[in-house]
Amino acid sequence: MAGADVRDAVASLTVYEYGELERATAGFAEEHRIGNSSVYRAVINGEVAAVKRVAGDVGAEVTVLGRVSHSCLVRLSGLCVNRGDTYLVFELAENGALSEWLHADGGADGDVGRALSWRQRMQVAFDVAGGLNYLHNYTIPPYVHKNLKRSNVLLDAHLRAKVSNFGMARAGGGAQMTEHVVGTQGYLAPEYLEHGLIGPQLDVFAFGVVLLELLSGKEAAPARDGEDGGGESGKAILLWEEAEVLVVDGEEARGRVAAFMDARLRGDYPMEVALSMVALALRCVAREPRARPLMGEAFLTLSALHSSALDWTTDELGTSAVPPRRIGDA
């Protein structure tokens, strides 16, 4: 790590000895590992924390996290450098990544206990929008996260969402170009894939995909049914492309949207709000960047929808939930 920005960021952090983190994680024991990640649960001075082991340069992530402070962004509190690896100490998100709560096998009869309710999904969407709105509009300089996806959205003990993993973040609110296109299939905007264009609308697009995942319970880029994902025949079907056939007004809207919604919700959501959520998601994943809302506008829309979710009760469900019919069915 080098540079004045990194030094300034490190000055605000606790610098740990490797031995402290080794003891805090029981020697980075497997039982302390969180999922299949390089993150370990730790207890430091009686407080739980997450320790992430990173190989290579972490200057960009440390610089960003040293400059930002928001309840919907994961908080970096300290670090340690040992034998070429860097260990970053974060607040612990006790409920893991959003990816662990979506896409469970079994559909409506699957892991219902781990499924997020409608209100919880609305809260996650609201939190992620708040974090991105802060990055785009309330930091100096503004930042583009550039790597938003379900595994980079963490859930705390109260299932409040926190955006994480800022290793690819870029400073600057204007458009930039790159020849080095990296990221996760299914979340990358067309203009980035085709032209290497980076800007705030890149995050808006990825946010739209996360919204679609929250609504449908589907993955951003699942393999074709019955295929192993190898070769051209196994080319992934992108969720945002599938969702483009949805309509949010007219007689067909309710049936199509109900068919798209996660079966694990069991129809327990207000259809009018679901239609508005789908409409927002489709605007966010518009192929043309200029057709997408700014993150501030998306956040304001989510604020109103989130308020309606807090007021909504299952007694108001009525006939809002149409029996599921998969998209493409006659």
PDB file of all heavy atoms in Angstrom, residues 29 40 65 68 72 88 92 97 133 136 151 165 199 215 219 223-224 244 247 249 255 257 266 270 297-298 307 322 327:
ATOM      1  N   ALA A  29      -8.925 -20.908  12.415  1.00  0.00           N
ATOM      2  CA  ALA A  29      -9.476 -22.264  12.372  1.00  0.00           C
ATOM      3  C   ALA A  29     -10.634 -22.346  11.391  1.00  0.00           C
ATOM      4  O   ALA A  29     -11.368 -21.369  11.176  1.00  0.00           O
ATOM      5  CB  ALA A  29      -9.944 -22.677  13.768  1.00  0.00           C
ATOM      6  N   TYR A  40     -13.094 -14.609   8.449  1.00  0.00           N
ATOM      7  CA  TYR A  40     -13.159 -15.409   9.670  1.00  0.00           C
ATOM      8  C   TYR A  40     -13.838 -14.617  10.776  1.00  0.00           C
ATOM      9  O   TYR A  40     -13.634 -13.414  10.915  1.00  0.00           O
ATOM     10  CB  TYR A  40     -11.749 -15.804  10.123  1.00  0.00           C
ATOM     11  CG  TYR A  40     -11.038 -16.716   9.151  1.00  0.00           C
ATOM     12  CD1 TYR A  40     -10.432 -16.196   8.015  1.00  0.00           C
ATOM     13  CD2 TYR A  40     -10.981 -18.093   9.367  1.00  0.00           C
ATOM     14  CE1 TYR A  40      -9.782 -17.029   7.106  1.00  0.00           C
ATOM     15  CE2 TYR A  40     -10.337 -18.927   8.473  1.00  0.00           C
ATOM     16  CZ  TYR A  40      -9.744 -18.386   7.349  1.00  0.00           C
ATOM     17  OH  TYR A  40      -9.110 -19.216   6.456  1.00  0.00           O
ATOM     18  N   LEU A  65     -12.825   2.993   2.192  1.00  0.00           N
ATOM     19  CA  LEU A  65     -13.473   2.772   3.483  1.00  0.00           C
ATOM     20  C   LEU A  65     -12.964   3.732   4.555  1.00  0.00           C
ATOM     21  O   LEU A  65     -13.656   3.980   5.543  1.00  0.00           O
ATOM     22  CB  LEU A  65     -13.288   1.321   3.920  1.00  0.00           C
ATOM     23  CG  LEU A  65     -14.096   0.320   3.082  1.00  0.00           C
ATOM     24  CD1 LEU A  65     -13.743  -1.117   3.452  1.00  0.00           C
ATOM     25  CD2 LEU A  65     -15.587   0.555   3.261  1.00  0.00           C
ATOM     26  N   VAL A  68     -15.342   6.931   3.922  1.00  0.00           N
ATOM     27  CA  VAL A  68     -16.805   6.874   3.955  1.00  0.00           C
ATOM     28  C   VAL A  68     -17.293   6.403   5.316  1.00  0.00           C
ATOM     29  O   VAL A  68     -16.590   5.707   6.042  1.00  0.00           O
ATOM     30  CB  VAL A  68     -17.356   5.932   2.854  1.00  0.00           C
ATOM     31  CG1 VAL A  68     -16.891   6.396   1.488  1.00  0.00           C
ATOM     32  CG2 VAL A  68     -16.945   4.478   3.098  1.00  0.00           C
ATOM     33  N   CYS A  72     -25.203   1.812   6.004  1.00  0.00           N
ATOM     34  CA  CYS A  72     -25.462   0.792   4.990  1.00  0.00           C
ATOM     35  C   CYS A  72     -24.211   0.397   4.209  1.00  0.00           C
ATOM     36  O   CYS A  72     -24.301  -0.279   3.182  1.00  0.00           O
ATOM     37  CB  CYS A  72     -26.552   1.269   4.032  1.00  0.00           C
ATOM     38  SG  CYS A  72     -28.142   1.516   4.844  1.00  0.00           S
ATOM     39  N   LEU A  88      -7.880  -7.465   6.970  1.00  0.00           N
ATOM     40  CA  LEU A  88      -8.756  -6.336   7.222  1.00  0.00           C
ATOM     41  C   LEU A  88      -9.784  -6.728   8.275  1.00  0.00           C
ATOM     42  O   LEU A  88     -10.405  -7.795   8.185  1.00  0.00           O
ATOM     43  CB  LEU A  88      -9.467  -5.908   5.939  1.00  0.00           C
ATOM     44  CG  LEU A  88      -8.550  -5.505   4.769  1.00  0.00           C
ATOM     45  CD1 LEU A  88      -9.381  -5.186   3.540  1.00  0.00           C
ATOM     46  CD2 LEU A  88      -7.665  -4.325   5.152  1.00  0.00           C
ATOM     47  N   LEU A  92     -18.804  -7.306  12.081  1.00  0.00           N
ATOM     48  CA  LEU A  92     -19.336  -8.600  11.676  1.00  0.00           C
ATOM     49  C   LEU A  92     -20.797  -8.477  11.259  1.00  0.00           C
ATOM     50  O   LEU A  92     -21.612  -7.919  11.994  1.00  0.00           O
ATOM     51  CB  LEU A  92     -19.218  -9.612  12.819  1.00  0.00           C
ATOM     52  CG  LEU A  92     -19.760 -11.008  12.512  1.00  0.00           C
ATOM     53  CD1 LEU A  92     -18.897 -11.704  11.466  1.00  0.00           C
ATOM     54  CD2 LEU A  92     -19.848 -11.850  13.778  1.00  0.00           C
ATOM     55  N   ALA A  97     -23.991 -13.200   3.847  1.00  0.00           N
ATOM     56  CA  ALA A  97     -24.278 -12.517   2.587  1.00  0.00           C
ATOM     57  C   ALA A  97     -25.716 -12.753   2.141  1.00  0.00           C
ATOM     58  O   ALA A  97     -26.326 -13.778   2.452  1.00  0.00           O
ATOM     59  CB  ALA A  97     -23.314 -12.995   1.507  1.00  0.00           C
ATOM     60  N   ASN A 133     -26.623   5.510  -2.849  1.00  0.00           N
ATOM     61  CA  ASN A 133     -26.935   6.940  -2.958  1.00  0.00           C
ATOM     62  C   ASN A 133     -25.895   7.772  -2.202  1.00  0.00           C
ATOM     63  O   ASN A 133     -25.463   8.831  -2.674  1.00  0.00           O
ATOM     64  CB  ASN A 133     -28.330   7.205  -2.417  1.00  0.00           C
ATOM     65  CG  ASN A 133     -28.745   8.657  -2.544  1.00  0.00           C
ATOM     66  OD1 ASN A 133     -28.615   9.256  -3.600  1.00  0.00           O
ATOM     67  ND2 ASN A 133     -29.229   9.233  -1.453  1.00  0.00           N
ATOM     68  N   HIS A 136     -22.643   7.824  -4.271  1.00  0.00           N
ATOM     69  CA  HIS A 136     -22.736   8.613  -5.499  1.00  0.00           C
ATOM     70  C   HIS A 136     -22.878  10.108  -5.241  1.00  0.00           C
ATOM     71  O   HIS A 136     -22.415  10.923  -6.049  1.00  0.00           O
ATOM     72  CB  HIS A 136     -23.937   8.152  -6.330  1.00  0.00           C
ATOM     73  CG  HIS A 136     -23.761   6.807  -6.968  1.00  0.00           C
ATOM     74  ND1 HIS A 136     -24.645   6.289  -7.894  1.00  0.00           N
ATOM     75  CD2 HIS A 136     -22.807   5.862  -6.803  1.00  0.00           C
ATOM     76  CE1 HIS A 136     -24.242   5.095  -8.280  1.00  0.00           C
ATOM     77  NE2 HIS A 136     -23.135   4.811  -7.620  1.00  0.00           N
ATOM     78  N   SER A 151     -23.557 -11.351  -3.311  1.00  0.00           N
ATOM     79  CA  SER A 151     -22.570 -11.805  -2.324  1.00  0.00           C
ATOM     80  C   SER A 151     -21.841 -10.654  -1.668  1.00  0.00           C
ATOM     81  O   SER A 151     -21.166 -10.840  -0.644  1.00  0.00           O
ATOM     82  CB  SER A 151     -21.559 -12.763  -2.976  1.00  0.00           C
ATOM     83  OG  SER A 151     -20.895 -12.126  -4.046  1.00  0.00           O
ATOM     84  N   ASN A 165     -17.095  -4.977   0.118  1.00  0.00           N
ATOM     85  CA  ASN A 165     -16.125  -5.280  -0.934  1.00  0.00           C
ATOM     86  C   ASN A 165     -15.931  -4.102  -1.886  1.00  0.00           C
ATOM     87  O   ASN A 165     -16.520  -4.048  -2.967  1.00  0.00           O
ATOM     88  CB  ASN A 165     -16.534  -6.534  -1.715  1.00  0.00           C
ATOM     89  CG  ASN A 165     -15.366  -7.111  -2.503  1.00  0.00           C
ATOM     90  OD1 ASN A 165     -14.369  -6.426  -2.753  1.00  0.00           O
ATOM     91  ND2 ASN A 165     -15.472  -8.368  -2.891  1.00  0.00           N
ATOM     92  N   GLY A 199     -19.314   4.444 -14.905  1.00  0.00           N
ATOM     93  CA  GLY A 199     -19.955   5.620 -14.338  1.00  0.00           C
ATOM     94  C   GLY A 199     -20.973   5.183 -13.310  1.00  0.00           C
ATOM     95  O   GLY A 199     -21.194   3.983 -13.093  1.00  0.00           O
ATOM     96  N   LEU A 215     -36.817  -9.982  -5.760  1.00  0.00           N
ATOM     97  CA  LEU A 215     -38.211 -10.214  -6.109  1.00  0.00           C
ATOM     98  C   LEU A 215     -38.456 -11.654  -6.553  1.00  0.00           C
ATOM     99  O   LEU A 215     -39.478 -12.249  -6.190  1.00  0.00           O
ATOM    100  CB  LEU A 215     -38.630  -9.255  -7.226  1.00  0.00           C
ATOM    101  CG  LEU A 215     -38.680  -7.768  -6.852  1.00  0.00           C
ATOM    102  CD1 LEU A 215     -38.812  -6.921  -8.110  1.00  0.00           C
ATOM    103  CD2 LEU A 215     -39.825  -7.478  -5.900  1.00  0.00           C
ATOM    104  N   GLU A 219     -31.220 -16.458  -9.630  1.00  0.00           N
ATOM    105  CA  GLU A 219     -29.848 -15.967  -9.732  1.00  0.00           C
ATOM    106  C   GLU A 219     -29.710 -15.023 -10.917  1.00  0.00           C
ATOM    107  O   GLU A 219     -30.451 -15.104 -11.895  1.00  0.00           O
ATOM    108  CB  GLU A 219     -28.883 -17.137  -9.882  1.00  0.00           C
ATOM    109  CG  GLU A 219     -28.842 -18.055  -8.675  1.00  0.00           C
ATOM    110  CD  GLU A 219     -27.786 -19.122  -8.809  1.00  0.00           C
ATOM    111  OE1 GLU A 219     -26.721 -18.831  -9.390  1.00  0.00           O
ATOM    112  OE2 GLU A 219     -28.019 -20.242  -8.348  1.00  0.00           O
ATOM    113  N   ALA A 223     -27.553 -21.174 -15.017  1.00  0.00           N
ATOM    114  CA  ALA A 223     -27.335 -21.996 -16.210  1.00  0.00           C
ATOM    115  C   ALA A 223     -28.682 -22.423 -16.765  1.00  0.00           C
ATOM    116  O   ALA A 223     -29.692 -22.437 -16.069  1.00  0.00           O
ATOM    117  CB  ALA A 223     -26.494 -23.219 -15.864  1.00  0.00           C
ATOM    118  N   ARG A 224     -28.696 -22.772 -18.049  1.00  0.00           N
ATOM    119  CA  ARG A 224     -29.929 -23.260 -18.661  1.00  0.00           C
ATOM    120  C   ARG A 224     -30.376 -24.544 -17.980  1.00  0.00           C
ATOM    121  O   ARG A 224     -29.556 -25.372 -17.600  1.00  0.00           O
ATOM    122  CB  ARG A 224     -29.724 -23.533 -20.155  1.00  0.00           C
ATOM    123  CG  ARG A 224     -29.504 -22.284 -20.989  1.00  0.00           C
ATOM    124  CD  ARG A 224     -29.409 -22.645 -22.456  1.00  0.00           C
ATOM    125  NE  ARG A 224     -29.078 -21.488 -23.265  1.00  0.00           N
ATOM    126  CZ  ARG A 224     -29.965 -20.609 -23.708  1.00  0.00           C
ATOM    127  NH1 ARG A 224     -31.235 -20.768 -23.405  1.00  0.00           N
ATOM    128  NH2 ARG A 224     -29.589 -19.586 -24.447  1.00  0.00           N
ATOM    129  N   GLU A 244     -37.046  -8.539 -19.012  1.00  0.00           N
ATOM    130  CA  GLU A 244     -37.460  -7.531 -19.993  1.00  0.00           C
ATOM    131  C   GLU A 244     -38.838  -7.822 -20.591  1.00  0.00           C
ATOM    132  O   GLU A 244     -39.499  -6.907 -21.091  1.00  0.00           O
ATOM    133  CB  GLU A 244     -36.425  -7.436 -21.122  1.00  0.00           C
ATOM    134  CG  GLU A 244     -35.159  -6.691 -20.734  1.00  0.00           C
ATOM    135  CD  GLU A 244     -34.214  -6.544 -21.905  1.00  0.00           C
ATOM    136  OE1 GLU A 244     -33.956  -7.539 -22.606  1.00  0.00           O
ATOM    137  OE2 GLU A 244     -33.725  -5.414 -22.135  1.00  0.00           O
ATOM    138  N   VAL A 247     -44.424  -6.960 -18.029  1.00  0.00           N
ATOM    139  CA  VAL A 247     -45.164  -5.714 -18.174  1.00  0.00           C
ATOM    140  C   VAL A 247     -45.708  -5.350 -16.807  1.00  0.00           C
ATOM    141  O   VAL A 247     -45.964  -6.212 -15.977  1.00  0.00           O
ATOM    142  CB  VAL A 247     -46.323  -5.844 -19.184  1.00  0.00           C
ATOM    143  CG1 VAL A 247     -45.798  -6.022 -20.586  1.00  0.00           C
ATOM    144  CG2 VAL A 247     -47.239  -7.009 -18.810  1.00  0.00           C
ATOM    145  N   ASP A 249     -48.197  -2.857 -16.428  1.00  0.00           N
ATOM    146  CA  ASP A 249     -49.535  -2.289 -16.513  1.00  0.00           C
ATOM    147  C   ASP A 249     -50.335  -3.107 -17.527  1.00  0.00           C
ATOM    148  O   ASP A 249     -49.796  -3.908 -18.275  1.00  0.00           O
ATOM    149  CB  ASP A 249     -49.514  -0.808 -16.895  1.00  0.00           C
ATOM    150  CG  ASP A 249     -48.706  -0.541 -18.150  1.00  0.00           C
ATOM    151  OD1 ASP A 249     -48.552  -1.478 -18.962  1.00  0.00           O
ATOM    152  OD2 ASP A 249     -48.235   0.584 -18.322  1.00  0.00           O
ATOM    153  N   GLY A 255     -50.565 -11.265 -13.683  1.00  0.00           N
ATOM    154  CA  GLY A 255     -50.201 -12.659 -13.906  1.00  0.00           C
ATOM    155  C   GLY A 255     -48.726 -12.838 -14.181  1.00  0.00           C
ATOM    156  O   GLY A 255     -48.079 -13.744 -13.648  1.00  0.00           O
ATOM    157  N   VAL A 257     -46.195 -10.782 -13.403  1.00  0.00           N
ATOM    158  CA  VAL A 257     -45.380 -10.448 -12.239  1.00  0.00           C
ATOM    159  C   VAL A 257     -45.517 -11.520 -11.167  1.00  0.00           C
ATOM    160  O   VAL A 257     -44.529 -11.921 -10.541  1.00  0.00           O
ATOM    161  CB  VAL A 257     -45.747  -9.054 -11.692  1.00  0.00           C
ATOM    162  CG1 VAL A 257     -45.097  -8.814 -10.330  1.00  0.00           C
ATOM    163  CG2 VAL A 257     -45.305  -7.977 -12.680  1.00  0.00           C
ATOM    164  N   ARG A 266     -44.882 -17.205  -1.124  1.00  0.00           N
ATOM    165  CA  ARG A 266     -46.234 -17.785  -1.045  1.00  0.00           C
ATOM    166  C   ARG A 266     -47.325 -16.731  -1.296  1.00  0.00           C
ATOM    167  O   ARG A 266     -48.395 -16.759  -0.674  1.00  0.00           O
ATOM    168  CB  ARG A 266     -46.449 -18.457   0.313  1.00  0.00           C
ATOM    169  CG  ARG A 266     -45.476 -19.595   0.592  1.00  0.00           C
ATOM    170  CD  ARG A 266     -45.780 -20.285   1.903  1.00  0.00           C
ATOM    171  NE  ARG A 266     -44.810 -21.329   2.189  1.00  0.00           N
ATOM    172  CZ  ARG A 266     -44.853 -22.582   1.727  1.00  0.00           C
ATOM    173  NH1 ARG A 266     -45.827 -22.929   0.906  1.00  0.00           N
ATOM    174  NH2 ARG A 266     -43.924 -23.454   2.056  1.00  0.00           N
ATOM    175  N   PRO A 270     -48.024  -7.277  -1.245  1.00  0.00           N
ATOM    176  CA  PRO A 270     -49.028  -6.445  -1.918  1.00  0.00           C
ATOM    177  C   PRO A 270     -48.685  -6.309  -3.401  1.00  0.00           C
ATOM    178  O   PRO A 270     -47.633  -5.799  -3.758  1.00  0.00           O
ATOM    179  CB  PRO A 270     -48.919  -5.103  -1.195  1.00  0.00           C
ATOM    180  CG  PRO A 270     -47.523  -5.074  -0.666  1.00  0.00           C
ATOM    181  CD  PRO A 270     -47.105  -6.490  -0.420  1.00  0.00           C
ATOM    182  N   GLU A 297     -32.720   9.251  -7.391  1.00  0.00           N
ATOM    183  CA  GLU A 297     -34.126   9.067  -7.756  1.00  0.00           C
ATOM    184  C   GLU A 297     -34.608   7.678  -7.364  1.00  0.00           C
ATOM    185  O   GLU A 297     -35.707   7.504  -6.836  1.00  0.00           O
ATOM    186  CB  GLU A 297     -34.305   9.272  -9.266  1.00  0.00           C
ATOM    187  CG  GLU A 297     -35.748   9.119  -9.725  1.00  0.00           C
ATOM    188  CD  GLU A 297     -35.890   9.153 -11.235  1.00  0.00           C
ATOM    189  OE1 GLU A 297     -34.920   9.550 -11.924  1.00  0.00           O
ATOM    190  OE2 GLU A 297     -36.975   8.768 -11.719  1.00  0.00           O
ATOM    191  N   ALA A 298     -33.770   6.668  -7.620  1.00  0.00           N
ATOM    192  CA  ALA A 298     -34.138   5.296  -7.242  1.00  0.00           C
ATOM    193  C   ALA A 298     -34.320   5.185  -5.733  1.00  0.00           C
ATOM    194  O   ALA A 298     -35.240   4.509  -5.255  1.00  0.00           O
ATOM    195  CB  ALA A 298     -33.063   4.323  -7.723  1.00  0.00           C
ATOM    196  N   SER A 307     -41.890   2.647   2.845  1.00  0.00           N
ATOM    197  CA  SER A 307     -42.887   3.117   3.814  1.00  0.00           C
ATOM    198  C   SER A 307     -44.192   2.346   3.663  1.00  0.00           C
ATOM    199  O   SER A 307     -44.839   1.981   4.652  1.00  0.00           O
ATOM    200  CB  SER A 307     -43.141   4.609   3.635  1.00  0.00           C
ATOM    201  OG  SER A 307     -41.970   5.354   3.910  1.00  0.00           O
ATOM    202  N   VAL A 322     -51.776 -13.399  -7.348  1.00  0.00           N
ATOM    203  CA  VAL A 322     -52.319 -14.273  -8.355  1.00  0.00           C
ATOM    204  C   VAL A 322     -51.605 -15.613  -8.278  1.00  0.00           C
ATOM    205  O   VAL A 322     -50.386 -15.647  -8.076  1.00  0.00           O
ATOM    206  CB  VAL A 322     -52.121 -13.647  -9.760  1.00  0.00           C
ATOM    207  CG1 VAL A 322     -52.629 -14.575 -10.858  1.00  0.00           C
ATOM    208  CG2 VAL A 322     -52.809 -12.296  -9.814  1.00  0.00           C
ATOM    209  N   ILE A 327     -43.354 -17.600 -16.310  1.00  0.00           N
ATOM    210  CA  ILE A 327     -43.231 -16.821 -17.543  1.00  0.00           C
ATOM    211  C   ILE A 327     -43.013 -17.772 -18.713  1.00  0.00           C
ATOM    212  O   ILE A 327     -42.199 -18.682 -18.646  1.00  0.00           O
ATOM    213  CB  ILE A 327     -42.061 -15.828 -17.431  1.00  0.00           C
ATOM    214  CG1 ILE A 327     -42.390 -14.769 -16.396  1.00  0.00           C
ATOM    215  CG2 ILE A 327     -41.758 -15.177 -18.776  1.00  0.00           C
ATOM    216  CD1 ILE A 327     -41.274 -13.817 -16.128  1.00  0.00           C
TER     217      ILE A 327
END
